[in-house]
Amino acid sequence: MTSAATAALLIGCVSGPAASKAPDGARVLVFSKTAGFRHDSIPEGIAAVRELGATNGFTVDATEDAGAFTAKNLARYGAVVFLSTTGDVLDAGQQTAFERYIKRGGGYVGVHAAADTEYDWAFYGGLAGAYFQSHPAIQPATVDVEDRGNPATGHLDPAWNRTDEWYNYRSNPRDHAHVLASLDESSYSGGTMSGDHPIAWCQTYQGGRAFYTGGGHTKESYAEPAFRQHLLGGIRYAVGDAQADCRPENGYRPLFDGTAESLSAWRQAGPGSFSRSDDGTLTSNGGLGMLWYAGSGFGAYSLKLDWKVDGDDNSGVFVGFPASDDPWSAVNNGYEVQIDATDVPERTTGSVYSFQSADIGKRDRALNPPGEWNTYEIRVEGERLRVWLNGVRINDFTNTDPARSLRDGQVGIQNHGADDQVSFRDIRIKELPVRSAVPGD
């Protein structure tokens, strides 16, 4: 391949920005019935959700009448917010209606004491993710934000300092839910979860989408811009207005965690660069070049990273190329998973660039628009390369080119050119057992 031909492949073409896929006329039901302790912040919580709806395009109804839990009525709503509910709030028929609603794709948002609800209803316990056990006094604490690509946490710094009533839970949801944020138990008194203390999480559950946050005890919470944005992001995920990878995530180690120290193993190949901001975001500048991880090569692995474009921008993630400070080595010997939602199918977001298009229908449903974060998982096993976008598998490619191999190589991110500013966060990897063949799933 000539360098001119390679440049043409790398640069690609553009045709206009992707559109948002927000559901039309989304409705949210806020349910705040209590059969135990009643939080005096419930009115402030209802008002906050109403205000968020008014400014973000969804309609909000609020009720404490469990009679609203019928199949016909629930079908009107994209999500139901359990706002500091407590105790047994639904009868058997209402529980059945809600289970069917979730299994048909409905959304659930649990706020604070939603975890102190329906202890004898196993379906609800699984949906909420964990049950309340105890809490210390209201006090400041540091929240460690584990996933900064999610709509509920993408606006936050890695450490979020705030005051609330911090719940301890009867079990740890980490194995079955995707933890978004956890408490630093050394930052406050009364934590009982042995240093692994999730406080916000999301999951897909029996066909539906679920988000839970342990915050929201105090009236003041609902006036905090950061907490309101956190709550809004959870609602947007639950109603399907924002996409996110909410599969459980365990066993990854950081390659870039936002700190300058974590960049010491990375090297710039070719022109241009990446700038690191104080919030731990890398943004591309100039090019054509590539920032690649020189600490080691990888064989079988799952690579995850969060990325965002602000408009009609171009970048990509390279895998399976030999160590080199020449970015063309990655183009000619490896594979690029493209980031550019406006190009032709085999050169657009989720494609193995110029080799295989993503499943465009799945890609379009999974893709968040410019200005919002997306998450890639790129899984390499043998010569098989699979791509997940926000938790949805959109590409499954097998290398058959004898001049290339995915079995051992480096990983890198592209800085495409002066007009392309693409941001990256939280690049992490989990090495997988090496197998001679990987069956389909």
Side-chain angles (χ1 to χ4, degrees):
M1 180 183 294
T2 67
S3 60
T6 305
L9 284 178
L10 189 63
I11 295 171
C13 62
V14 296
S15 59
S20 172
K21 307 172 299 307
D24 294 330
R27 300 183 71 92
V28 170
L29 178 65
V30 179
F31 182 55
S32 55
K33 180 179 177 180
T34 55
F37 182 83
R38 184 169 182 83
H39 286 75
D40 64 4
S41 61
I42 287 175
E44 283 76 9
I46 294 171
V49 177
R50 288 193 188 278
E51 291 165 5
L52 292 171
T55 55
N56 291 278
F58 58 90
T59 302
V60 177
D61 297 328
T63 187
E64 302 209 349
D65 181 5
F69 284 71
T70 66
K72 182 178 180 179
N73 190 53
L74 290 173
R76 301 168 59 218
Y77 296 101
V80 180
V81 180
F82 279 63
L83 179 64
S84 283
T85 51
T86 54
D88 295 329
V89 291
L90 300 179
D91 66 24
Q94 293 156 356
Q95 291 176 358
T96 298
F98 188 60
E99 288 188 24
R100 290 175 177 168
Y101 164 78
I102 293 295
K103 291 175 179 178
R104 291 172 179 169
Y108 165 86
V109 175
V111 180
H112 194 56
D116 188 25
T117 301
E118 295 288 355
Y119 288 95
D120 297 323
W121 181 15
F123 176 89
Y124 181 85
L127 179 68
Y131 283 121
F132 163 81
Q133 182 176 59
S134 63
H135 65 79
I138 297 169
Q139 60 190 297
T142 298
V143 178
D144 292 327
V145 181
E146 298 188 22
D147 181 347
R148 298 174 64 226
N150 189 279
T153 47
H155 62 293
L156 298 170
D157 289 334
W160 184 21
N161 298 305
R162 61 182 306 270
T163 297
D164 215 318
E165 180 184 78
W166 303 112
Y167 275 8
N168 299 305
Y169 300 95
R170 297 184 181 186
S171 61
N172 191 317
R174 189 176 295 277
D175 287 340
H176 58 266
H178 182 82
V179 175
L180 303 174
S182 56
L183 288 171
D184 177 356
E185 289 194 334
S186 70
S187 69
Y188 74 106
S189 299
T192 65
M193 297 186 69
S194 303
D196 183 11
H197 194 143
I199 198 64
W201 53 82
C202 63
Q203 61 175 321
T204 56
Y205 186 78
Q206 296 193 25
R209 296 182 176 207
F211 166 81
Y212 172 83
T213 179
H217 172 86
T218 66
K219 294 180 179 180
E220 292 78 10
S221 295
Y222 299 99
E224 294 176 30
F227 184 78
R228 286 167 67 100
Q229 185 68 28
H230 174 60
L231 181 57
L232 173 63
I235 293 171
R236 291 187 62 223
Y237 167 74
V239 302
D241 182 32
Q243 311 308 312
D245 188 347
C246 284
R247 297 172 297 164
E249 182 175 317
N250 297 295
Y252 288 78
R253 63 181 177 89
L255 298 183
F256 169 69
D257 64 6
T259 64
E261 292 77 11
S262 66
L263 281 177
S264 62
W266 293 79
R267 292 167 60 172
Q268 179 68 33
S273 64
F274 282 81
S275 59
R276 186 187 67 86
S277 63
D278 290 340
D279 70 355
T281 300
L282 286 176
T283 301
S284 63
N285 302 296
L288 296 161
M290 179 183 64
L291 184 67
W292 63 285
Y293 185 76
S296 66
F298 302 100
Y301 56 91
S302 168
L303 177 72
K304 286 191 174 184
L305 51 81
D306 305 326
W307 58 268
K308 180 178 70 171
V309 298
D310 288 330
D312 186 11
D313 300 297
N314 186 310
S315 185
V317 182
F318 280 99
V319 297
F321 59 92
S324 174
D325 285 326
D326 178 3
W328 297 105
S329 176
V331 175
N332 293 328
N333 299 288
Y335 287 103
E336 179 188 9
V337 178
Q338 178 71 342
I339 297 172
D340 183 354
T342 65
D343 212 326
V344 296
E346 68 273 16
R347 300 177 186 177
T348 190
T349 294
S351 67
V352 180
Y353 191 84
S354 83
F355 289 91
Q356 182 167 294
S357 171
D359 182 314
I360 297 300
K362 289 182 178 179
R363 190 283 309 277
D364 286 350
R365 289 189 293 272
L367 181 67
N368 287 320
E372 299 188 15
W373 288 97
N374 292 276
T375 299
Y376 265 163
E377 180 190 2
I378 300 169
R379 192 180 304 176
V380 173
E381 294 176 281
E383 298 293 353
R384 187 181 185 189
L385 185 161
R386 287 175 284 176
V387 181
W388 281 258
L389 173 65
N390 295 324
V392 176
R393 192 173 74 180
I394 61 170
N395 210 333
D396 191 340
F397 170 79
T398 299
N399 171 51
T400 58
D401 183 350
R404 302 171 188 252
S405 179
L406 287 163
R407 293 184 182 275
D408 186 27
Q410 313 296 131
V411 300
I413 54 176
Q414 183 189 64
N415 54 299
H416 186 267
D419 295 329
D420 298 299
Q421 285 79 47
V422 180
S423 299
F424 295 88
R425 281 180 176 172
D426 296 337
I427 305 173
R428 62 261 194 208
I429 199 163
K430 178 167 67 175
E431 297 186 72
L432 305 173
V434 176
R435 292 180 282 175
S436 57
V438 181
D441 60 9

